Amino acid sequence: MNDPNSEENGSLSTKNGSLSTLGDSKWKPATWILLIVLCGALFLDGLDLTMVGVALPDIGRDLHLSASSLQWIVSGYVLGYGSLLLLGGRASDLLGRRRVFLAALCVFGAASVISTFVDSDILLIALRFIKGASAAFTVPAGLSIINTTFTEGKARSRAMGIYAACGASGFSLGLIFGGLLTELNWRLTFLVPGPIALALVVAGLKVIPRVPRGKLSLSGLDLRGAVSCTAALLLLVYAVVEAPTHGWGSFSTLGLLALSVVLMAVFVVLERRHPTPLLRLGILRSGPLVHANISAAVMFGGYVAFQFLVTLYVQNSLGWSPIHMALAFLPGGLVVVLSGSKIPLLLERFSTVKLLLAGLTAFAAAYALFLRVSPGQSYANFMLPTILLLGVGFALCFPAVNVQATAGVKDEEQGLASGILNSSLQIGGAIVLAVVTAILGTGTTHIQHAQLLPHMKTAIGVTVGITIFALLVTIAQYTRNRRQEAAAVEAEPSERPESEYSEV
């Protein structure tokens, strides 16, 4: 018999009584509070990343950091996030989604508060890595709570649409909040997420459904796989960032890249042999899942790199204040926020592949338009069109990849699927940011007024190129889906093949 408090049986209960039915009927207040807690954690993850990004020029001036050092404040977070998401997803499946979500959110809040008072760049980067690692546990746990609580169909699509829209809003509004807080003191960008995270923990203790308290054991966690994957990614990013200094053909650069490849091969071998691997390689046979992850990596990688580049340019070269920059990005954030209520309707009406086609086209056009940038241009001419298109791209792509990556996945592997997706998001961010930083090189913190950053247009061109690559992959996936649909129409119902993971 299923325990009435179990989250696996599709019901939702707390010590305060039953929440509403989580099907298509009207949700009760407690259901909304649960969704607010889960969405709030995802919102904080996006907010924290982009909010600190706005403060980078001020941090660099106060702590005397170069552009390559500044990128580690961003990369430390996204690497901790991306490299441990598979472990976070597995932990939520094995140890319980509720306890993993709440414990990780506590660590996130505590690290936020501590980092406010840090002056050492090394310690600051280490704390950023810890915060990213915490997010690596909250995100897959939160997403799997949604997918195992709300019934598949209209109810889950509605909840997922709201959840994904909140995540996209966090990334967009972080730029605005970051500008406002940096205007007062850049340390506030590190502090603010802390109290909010701890408040979400208090609320989560009341509304997140309890599960039977089983015996905790680390035997099912693939810790060796987590270490090898994390080390491989750290070495890859470090090699790319330091390549302009040591030379792309130097023994140091090539040696680090080779070691990264070896460690990733070790990770694959470990996953094939471990009884409960972080990554069940068979899940990658799902075409929609793979496509969603490629799209996510490129979408987020391009966005993080572009934000880093523009932040340094407008503040260090054009002399904009943080609040000036925040207002410049405001239109894009408004597009994401105002479209949030419409996203569930779009997900019901259009396939995720179609939404990704539109979203990635918007991203590619946004970056391509910014290639026109030159000193002395007006905001309305060189920046506003790009910001609006970025808002459209994020509003469409972020929900679409989340829905596509988890649709049709078994309940017991929801944590794994969401972990893979969010790993791709963050790893894409770290790698593309490292490439852009390497192209820019040094000297971006002390450039002459109204001058472009070194190799700035080359960096933008690379961003355009990888976005077009993702767009071509999406076109191929769309064509494949159309062919499968046509074949299914011709086949008799009894002859239609069943697949473990459905096309979206």
Side-chain angles (χ1 to χ4, degrees):
M1 179 180 296
N2 287 336
D3 187 283
N5 291 331
S6 173
E7 59 191 348
E8 274 71 23
N9 63 13
S11 65
L12 185 60
S13 301
T14 70
K15 62 183 180 181
N16 295 328
S18 176
L19 292 173
S20 68
T21 175
L22 301 185
D24 295 342
S25 61
K26 185 177 181 180
W27 296 343
K28 293 181 180 178
T31 306
W32 283 107
I33 295 174
L34 169 67
L35 199 56
I36 288 171
V37 170
L38 301 176
C39 290
L42 184 66
F43 180 86
L44 279 183
D45 295 336
L47 185 77
D48 189 87
L49 178 63
T50 53
M51 189 163 59
V52 171
V54 177
L56 289 178
D58 282 39
I59 296 172
R61 284 189 290 269
D62 285 359
L63 301 183
H64 308 290
L65 302 179
S66 65
S68 60
S69 296
L70 285 176
Q71 73 88 29
W72 277 107
I73 294 178
V74 178
S75 292
Y77 184 90
V78 298
L79 281 174
Y81 198 162
S83 62
L84 293 175
L85 267 164
L86 293 178
L87 181 64
R90 189 62 182 162
S92 69
D93 289 337
L94 293 177
L95 305 181
R97 301 174 180 100
R98 182 181 190 271
R99 61 169 66 100
V100 167
F101 179 85
L102 294 175
L105 197 54
C106 279
V107 174
F108 183 94
S112 296
V113 174
I114 294 172
S115 62
T116 308
F117 306 100
V118 169
D119 288 320
S120 167
D121 57 332
I122 295 177
L123 185 55
L124 185 61
I125 292 169
L127 284 167
R128 295 288 293 167
F129 184 87
I130 291 173
K131 290 183 70 175
S134 301
F137 287 82
T138 61
V139 170
L143 188 55
S144 59
I145 289 172
I146 287 179
N147 282 315
T148 55
T149 300
F150 295 84
T151 57
E152 188 164 11
K154 187 175 181 180
R156 186 181 295 178
S157 294
R158 182 186 182 193
M160 281 294 300
I162 295 171
Y163 182 77
C166 285
S169 298
F171 288 116
S172 299
L173 295 180
L175 298 169
I176 296 146
F177 290 135
L180 294 171
L181 294 175
T182 304
E183 196 72 24
L184 300 173
N185 190 309
W186 61 262
R187 293 185 184 276
L188 291 176
T189 61
F190 291 94
L191 174 64
V192 166
I196 298 175
L198 298 178
L200 291 174
V201 170
V202 174
L205 287 169
K206 296 182 178 297
V207 299
I208 298 178
R210 295 180 179 276
V211 296
R213 186 177 293 276
K215 181 180 179 182
L216 294 179
S217 174
L218 297 179
S219 61
L221 293 179
D222 182 11
L223 297 179
R224 290 188 301 173
V227 171
S228 61
C229 178
T230 302
L233 294 172
L234 285 171
L235 288 174
L236 173 62
V237 173
Y238 182 78
V240 173
V241 171
E242 296 299 320
T245 301
H246 300 292
W248 286 97
S250 68
F251 176 80
S252 174
T253 299
L254 295 178
L256 288 172
L257 291 174
L259 184 56
S260 175
V261 172
V262 169
L263 286 172
M264 191 54 66
V266 169
F267 171 72
V268 172
V269 172
L270 290 172
E271 299 314 283
R272 294 177 64 88
R273 295 180 177 179
H274 200 280
T276 55
L278 293 180
L279 175 60
R280 185 180 69 82
L281 299 178
I283 200 173
L284 298 180
R285 289 196 295 267
S286 167
L289 175 68
V290 172
H291 169 241
N293 279 269
I294 292 173
S295 300
V298 171
M299 173 199 72
F300 191 65
Y303 182 78
V304 170
F306 182 78
Q307 183 204 327
F308 179 81
L309 185 152
V310 173
T311 297
L312 294 181
Y313 173 63
V314 300
Q315 292 193 51
N316 289 344
S317 176
L318 302 185
W320 290 13
S321 66
I323 188 63
H324 190 177
M325 179 184 168
L327 292 174
F329 275 90
L330 177 60
L334 290 177
V335 169
V336 176
V337 173
L338 295 177
S339 64
S341 62
K342 305 297 182 183
I343 294 302
L345 299 177
L346 291 177
L347 288 169
E348 292 176 16
R349 184 173 181 182
F350 300 103
S351 70
T352 53
V353 175
K354 289 182 179 179
L355 294 180
L356 285 171
L357 278 173
L360 289 171
T361 299
F363 272 116
Y367 302 138
L369 284 175
F370 206 78
L371 285 170
R372 304 171 303 145
V373 63
S374 64
Q377 285 183 300
S378 66
Y379 166 76
N381 184 34
F382 90 97
M383 197 166 178
L384 181 58
T386 289
I387 298 302
L388 290 173
L389 285 169
L390 288 179
V392 172
F394 227 106
L396 294 174
C397 286
F398 195 83
V401 294
N402 276 276
V403 172
Q404 181 169 309
T406 57
V409 177
K410 298 176 181 178
D411 282 355
E412 60 268 25
E413 290 194 324
Q414 285 291 331
L416 172 61
S418 61
I420 295 172
L421 174 70
N422 286 282
S423 293
S424 296
L425 280 166
Q426 304 304 324
I427 293 168
I431 293 175
V432 179
L433 175 60
V435 170
V436 166
T437 303
I439 293 172
L440 293 179
T442 60
T444 56
T445 55
H446 301 287
I447 60 176
Q448 295 182 1
H449 179 68
Q451 295 295 313
L452 296 180
L453 302 179
H455 313 295
M456 181 174 174
K457 290 192 175 182
T458 301
I460 298 171
V462 169
T463 306
V464 174
I466 64 169
T467 306
I468 291 176
F469 165 75
L471 186 57
L472 293 175
V473 172
T474 301
I475 292 172
Q477 181 66 34
Y478 177 75
T479 302
R480 177 190 175 193
N481 288 358
R482 291 295 299 271
R483 289 174 179 172
Q484 290 180 340
E485 291 170 1
V489 169
E490 295 177 0
E492 293 293 331
S494 60
E495 298 175 357
R496 293 179 187 177
E498 294 183 357
S499 174
E500 180 181 1
Y501 300 109
S502 62
E503 297 290 341
V504 180

